[in-house]
Amino acid sequence: MHATGNIRPNFLSIAASGCLLAVIVLGGCAGSAGIGVGSALTAGSLPAPDALIASNPPTTVYAEIAQKALSCWMGPKGPLKASHIFHADAASPTTGGRAEIALHERDLSQPHPWGGRVFRVELSPAGGGTDTRIEMVNIKLPHDLADALRTDVSNWAKGADGCQAQVVRPPVPEPVAAPVVAKGKKKKV
């Protein structure tokens, strides 16, 4: 620090702490996938994990995914029926058709049992609105179940059927009632 109070950056310590200097000067550094020399580093330019593009408008893709998720994940044989709450919100196609599907933990200790989010699917227009960008975020689910949900969403966005979530977490069979044994009736003579 100078007597004037200005802070002089120590570029050697910045470079030693990582590849920040290489990113600033050269536009990239060794080992950074997807960022090359001359690349602009913006949040929108980095690929999002668990993202895909579906070749239908957002409203169509949303309807397909939401219907199948309700049936597969939350239906009578759904592995998340008892433990989670399904919530979806979709904008009108005239305003772009953005949509979000979220799974929340079921918290029975609360008057409204909505616990925290555990998995989220975001749909937004792509390709001038003729395609849909789908981003999936696992917040708190076990990895095997989250991977199954990602597979389901990906398949449903392509128009396929199936329910990988029920393969990973098979439905719990309904309890079978014990047969009722009839008491012996007396015959009239």
Side-chain angles (χ1 to χ4, degrees), residues 8 12 23 35-36 43 55 58 75 79 87 93 98 108 111 119 122 146 154 174-175 178 181 184:
R8 173 185 277 175
L12 293 177
V23 171
I35 303 173
S55 59
H87 178 75
R98 287 186 172 272
L108 298 177
F119 190 81
E122 294 178 2
S154 177
E174 294 287 328
V181 178

Side-chain angles (χ1 to χ4, degrees), residues 47-52 119-120 122 133-138 146-147 150:
D50 306 326
L52 61 110
F119 190 81
R120 184 176 71 232
E122 294 178 2
R133 178 177 176 78
I134 304 167
E135 293 184 34
M136 296 167 275
V137 180
N138 179 26
D147 288 343
R150 286 184 192 103

Side-chain angles (χ1 to χ4, degrees), residues 140-152:
K140 199 175 171 183
L141 287 177
H143 293 294
D144 63 334
L145 182 56
D147 288 343
L149 298 185
R150 286 184 192 103
T151 298
D152 287 338

Side-chain angles (χ1 to χ4, degrees), residues 11-180:
F11 288 107
L12 293 177
S13 66
I14 293 172
S17 69
C19 65
L20 180 60
L21 181 61
V23 171
I24 295 169
V25 176
L26 302 174
C29 63
S32 62
I35 303 173
V37 175
S39 296
L41 229 177
T42 64
S45 67
L46 297 175
D50 306 326
L52 61 110
I53 302 292
S55 59
N56 282 312
T59 306
T60 304
V61 175
Y62 162 75
E64 188 75 15
I65 292 172
Q67 176 193 17
K68 291 181 178 177
L70 282 169
S71 174
C72 166
W73 303 341
M74 310 303 286
K77 295 182 181 181
L80 302 174
K81 178 183 178 181
S83 57
H84 293 81
I85 295 172
F86 177 95
H87 178 75
D89 190 22
S92 166
T94 59
T95 61
R98 287 186 172 272
E100 179 183 84
I101 297 170
L103 294 176
H104 294 260
E105 288 178 312
R106 189 178 298 271
D107 184 359
L108 298 177
S109 68
Q110 301 297 320
H112 300 287
W114 291 63
R117 288 182 184 187
V118 296
F119 190 81
R120 184 176 71 232
V121 179
E122 294 178 2
L123 298 98
S124 58
T130 59
D131 296 330
T132 303
R133 178 177 176 78
I134 304 167
E135 293 184 34
M136 296 167 275
V137 180
N138 179 26
I139 300 165
K140 199 175 171 183
L141 287 177
H143 293 294
D144 63 334
L145 182 56
D147 288 343
L149 298 185
R150 286 184 192 103
T151 298
D152 287 338
V153 169
S154 177
N155 288 341
W156 299 335
K158 297 173 190 169
D161 289 325
C163 186
Q164 190 64 30
Q166 289 180 4
V167 173
V168 172
R169 296 280 195 280
V172 177
E174 294 287 328
V176 178
V180 177

